[in-house]
Amino acid sequence: MIDRLKKLFAVPESEPVQTDAHQLAVAATALMVQLARVDSHEDERELKIIVDCAVQAHQVTREEAEEILADALAHAEDSTSLYEFTGQINDHFDQPQKQALLESIWRVALADGRIDKYEEHLIRRIADLLHLNHREFMQARHRAEDAAG
């Protein structure tokens, strides 16, 4: 009798959800899309930088990077918070990968030649959610500025 009750109330064990490389690329790219949208103006230069960053970071072709961007745009549109993206990244990226992602996010912010206060605030929030400290935040910014020339 007790065994039947245990079976009745037992929670079935589920398989852990596996995140594939495409999903991680979409999550990382969606953070860049969120930044591009923070000033209510998606700039073509920002979108080009996002594609360039995806090609470089994920070793994909430009066409694949554009598909990742299209998926990220759709996910970012439906998103209610940054946590769904930063959570996946925290689960699968190591600290250097997260720093490289933050540098890419800074590159998007710098695409139009200026950093708006809302962009900087959002980047700081993303850095905090990725568990990056202030030194890593500033290093990523300086590397992005050096790359932008």
Side-chain angles (χ1 to χ4, degrees), residues 3-16:
D3 286 337
R4 286 197 312 207
L5 285 174
K6 283 182 182 177
K7 287 180 184 177
L8 180 65
F9 293 107
V11 176
E13 291 186 30
S14 61
E15 296 280 319

